[in-house]
Amino acid sequence: MTSTSPQRSEKIQIKLFADPSALPPLESFIPVFHGWIRDKKLDELLIDVADYAHVHEGPGVVLIGHEADYSIDHADGRPGLLYVRKRGLAESSAEQRLIDAIQRAQRARALLEDDPALSGIRFSNDELLIRVPDRLHATNTDECFAEYQPTVEHALQSSSLNLNALQRVGDPREPLTVRATSR
Amino acid sequence: MSAANRKDASWKERLDGRMPEHLAREIDVFEGQIELKKQKKLDDKLFAETRLRRGAYGQRYDNGLRDDGTGQKPLAFPRGELTKGPDTVWDAPGMQRIKIPFGKLSAEQLEVLSDLAEEYSDAILHVTTRQDIQLHFIHIEDTPDMHRRLASVGITTREACGNSVRNVTACQFAGVCSTESFDVAPYAHATTEYFLGHPDVQDFGRKFKIAFSGCADEPCGLVTFHDLGAVALTQEIDGKIERGFRVVVGGGLGAVPVEAKVLREFCPAEELLPLSQAVARVFARLGEKNSRARARIKFLIQKLGIDEFKRLVDEERANLRPDERWNALLSDLSVTDEDPVRPAGDLPESSSPAFNAWAKTNLRPQSQAGYYVATVTLPLGDFTPKQGRALADLARTYTGDAMRLTVEQNIAFRWISGADAPAFFDKLAALGLAEPGASTITDVTACPGTDTCKLGIASSRGLAGELRKHLTVVQDQLDPAVRNLRIKASGCFNSCSQHHVADLGFLGVSRNVGGRKVPHFNVVLGGQWSENAKSYGTVVTAIPSKNVPKVVDAIAQKYAQEKHEDESFQQFFQRIGKSEIRKLLQPFSKPPSYEEDKSFYSDWGDPREYTIGDLGIGECAGEIVPFVEFGLQAAEQELHGAQDALDSGDSGAAAKAGLGAMVTAAKALVRYLDVQVRDDADDVVAQFRTHLHDTKLFHDPFAKGKFAQYLLITAANKTLDQADTEIARRTLDEAQLFLEAAHACYQRMEQQRASGGDSPSSPAGQPETP
Ligand code: HEM
Ligand code: SF4
């Protein structure tokens, strides 16, 4: 049996779900993300924008960065903002990394919600996905989830979101995925 | 607890024993080179070619500059001063090309590829026009672990790029096709295995592409635009049916497409590998090395003429040292066979219009009754890891490991029982992958273009996406002949989408209009896909990108209205002529002014004002690094490994690795002299003795034959693996000196060559008597 340790991973994904009824067409995110690069909207190195609108339930439009990507993800037919931390913060604790990821996802969400070009886009406060796409350290199993759970609970407590019910979701071949909802 | 199971285990530890040993070793060496480069101990060019030969390519903006629409701005990568090649910033994202020989993919491999896309890339897998998989936005430091995970399922990225034998391609229907002479897959497999890492293919001035086709008429193999192409044929010889190939050489696309010429009308199957080796050796020896633009084998053949080239190949073939692998690799022709997992069955009548439309274009009966090949159309060749895993499940349920990536950027599932086809279709539909129209006008092919390619001039993927969308909507109203046309779009003249052989091809160019740049596409019409891509299209005129959909409509309409019965598009285009079509396109050829419509001044899917300022220097050609330098570099790497083994107390392994380092360096020098040498140490040592020691070429001006003796004596030691610490340490010291001597010897020989002196292969004195 291989032991895992999700806390070791620098890779974290946070998905915030969008209200599908208020979602602008995918093309409208392309100029918005180009604008973020041009206007240095985030204190991260942003590189380019990739358009995958043609892919069914794919990453939609992706803002590619050095530390992290941001995509208008359509996985499982549920659109949302996916924050993809790829590297960095190796020195921080797992909890700090998770808190940082949630904060950055929330900041991007606020930028989107405030953008007049995206007319009324809204994200849910009642649900969030946390994923660790790093099979060296994390598998989508109950054992691994049990190991990660306290970290997730603490991180969520320090966020402004009131999410306290945790559940592992998805196929075991997928990355460790935790769904957080309000009880 | 074993290392592999520790919480802090690395991929290397976790996959220990699950990778073929030679691949594991190569990846360790590559990882060592990454470390050395980080410490700035490796030359830029050498490292660039090293990573290219591992499939790790550069990507747009990796020079650390990008135009954000208001001018070119630096991208402030954390280690901006560290580079991974000339003008290539270390931290900049790159592309990983993953070689999938003749596109054959297993369910397990697809799952691993999906995992990698999810963990290291932007969660998209891309199928290329040469049956490879590409992942984009990869960090160079992630590549060794990616390579390990690939190696654990039998995939190597070795020689996926760089000046080497690229992915060997073959039709996706090989083995199940009713028009083929025989299944070419085992021959494509043998060719892949034979050339992978073969010393004779390390010294090319440029890449070398090989393709196989099962028959002469069908397009799938596309042999005519390959450096080396083989078309399966049979001949009756003495009452027996013998297998063989028509072998063609020197084809290629690029700016000036060239049709391959016949090298052998019939090459018996068992002659395939030696003949190909002879071609490779002639190319390595005589091909252009300095000017990349003229370095493909097509230029060598143009220069020499095909007859002289044939003569040289014959001569080379006659002098080849026999290699048991020529036959061994062909001893089992069932290696690539697939066993269906479901019983054969008839295709049921269906009342579902969606299924019927899909079946019409995406299902093709196999030569085995009751089985079909189903083509899963991937928009622009892209799919997600989730789709990848679901496709792996479908393969397990319906077909076994019988997937093939196609040159039209789709996935073919072979061995679908007719009875299962409707259920298979329903499952695809649930994945959003049941689009009909495989190999029709909606199935547009595109190269990476300005999305990720450093050489991209216009957005081929943006255009292709737009055309797909547009044509999918109108396809039901299209004339059936129009529906069957093929469209391919390349971002520049390098033609990576293979637009020369499309009915409607497009290649990106830039035009100045009113002091501004406007993205355009040259319209290339009348290329022929059939008969193995028989002929190439003609450039008609350049059209602003944003007008291309209108141009497609206009051409399609004219063809539908004016074609004679059964007239192909090529025949139609030839009949009515280029000037007539140019007249038709005239109204679309001028963009409106900037003030009238700014949208023409930016590209598809990209709101930035259009510029070509982001164009970089492509890495398609690789860096010209002589093989000998690689060899000496690899030898040093092995010596580091030997030192590590000694430090960890394994003196036997250390001594053996020390000898290994000397052998590697010796092989590099032997190869430099153009001597044929096998991979085994005994042969290397024997050739070294004959050509470098006995000739005194390796002699040090002062120490004379001393350093050569280190190799010869150590190699003769049969108990080296039982060496104690003292012997091991001495062996490593000697190996270090041997390597120094090897570098010095190489420099002397280079000087001699440069000064136009005698070829260093001529004996520099009488052989020393022992
Ligand atoms: C001078 C540089 C280049 C030349 C001359 C060149 C030429 C070609 C040609 C002629 C083909 C397709 C036809 C065939 O099968 O032979 C091809 C394939 C391809 N090229 Fe390029 N290319 C260059 C650079 C690049 C670059 C920089 C990229 C993107 C990073 C790229 C991406 C591709 C892809 C994705 C394919 C399909 C190939 C495969 O999977 O092996 N090419 N190239
Ligand atoms: S055709 Fe040009 S733009 Fe397209 S991938 Fe090849 S080199 Fe790049």
Side-chain angles (χ1 to χ4, degrees), chain A residues 2-4 11 34 38 45 47-48 52 54-56 66 76 87 133-136 147 173-175, chain B residues 5 7 11 14 61 66 76-78 111 115 118-120 122 139 379 382 386 389 393 431 607-608:
Chain A
T2 302
S3 348
T4 53
K11 296 178 186 167
H34 277 284
R38 187 189 55 232
L45 173 56
I47 302 170
D48 199 16
Y52 296 118
H54 52 279
V55 178
H56 177 77
H66 173 69
D76 302 317
R87 58 184 64 85
D134 188 346
R135 289 168 179 79
L136 181 64
E147 202 172 337
R173 290 177 299 177
E174 285 181 27
Chain B
N5 292 340
K7 274 183 195 284
W11 276 116
R14 222 153 256 185
Y61 316 123
R66 177 182 179 274
F77 288 105
E111 283 170 343
D115 291 353
E118 201 161 50
E119 295 181 38
Y120 303 113
D122 59 349
H139 197 287
D382 291 346
K386 238 187 157 103
R389 283 190 282 270
D393 288 339
L431 299 173
R608 289 174 293 169

Side-chain angles (χ1 to χ4, degrees), chain A residues 3-179:
Chain A
S3 348
T4 53
S5 175
Q7 283 85 351
R8 287 180 176 276
S9 185
E10 287 180 42
K11 296 178 186 167
I12 298 174
Q13 299 184 350
I14 304 292
K15 181 156 177 182
L16 303 170
F17 291 96
D19 175 353
S21 67
L23 190 74
L26 264 176
E27 302 88 78
S28 37
F29 292 88
I30 299 176
V32 169
F33 283 159
H34 277 284
W36 288 16
I37 302 176
R38 187 189 55 232
D39 303 335
K40 300 200 174 355
K41 286 275 192 194
L42 304 172
D43 60 344
E44 298 167 23
L45 173 56
L46 302 177
I47 302 170
D48 199 16
V49 181
D51 175 7
Y52 296 118
H54 52 279
V55 178
H56 177 77
E57 298 189 354
V61 173
V62 190
L63 171 59
I64 307 274
H66 173 69
E67 297 90 353
D69 299 341
Y70 294 81
S71 65
I72 305 302
D73 179 58
H74 279 62
D76 302 317
R78 298 192 58 202
L81 168 67
L82 183 71
Y83 169 78
V84 179
R85 180 85 195 196
K86 300 187 283 192
R87 58 184 64 85
L89 297 183
E91 310 301 309
S92 313
S93 71
E95 195 179 312
Q96 281 167 332
R97 283 202 289 268
L98 192 48
I99 291 171
D100 181 78
I102 294 171
Q103 280 170 353
R104 285 178 193 269
Q106 290 282 35
R107 203 180 39 191
R109 162 220 183 125
L111 280 175
L112 294 174
E113 286 180 337
D114 289 347
D115 196 320
L118 300 175
S119 56
I121 186 172
R122 285 187 307 270
F123 292 89
S124 163
N125 283 318
D126 304 328
E127 183 184 3
L128 175 98
L129 281 193
I130 297 169
R131 303 212 295 171
V132 184
D134 188 346
R135 289 168 179 79
L136 181 64
H137 299 301
T139 50
N140 203 18
T141 56
D142 290 335
E143 295 95 297
C144 190
F145 172 48
E147 202 172 337
Y148 198 38
Q149 194 163 357
T151 307
V152 177
E153 280 166 358
H154 289 143
L156 285 175
Q157 274 158 20
S158 28
S159 80
S160 57
L161 294 160
N162 182 27
L163 302 175
N164 41 25
L166 300 186
Q167 182 195 5
R168 182 184 73 76
V169 290
D171 180 318
R173 290 177 299 177
E174 285 181 27
L176 173 64
T177 307
V178 180
R179 178 163 176 255

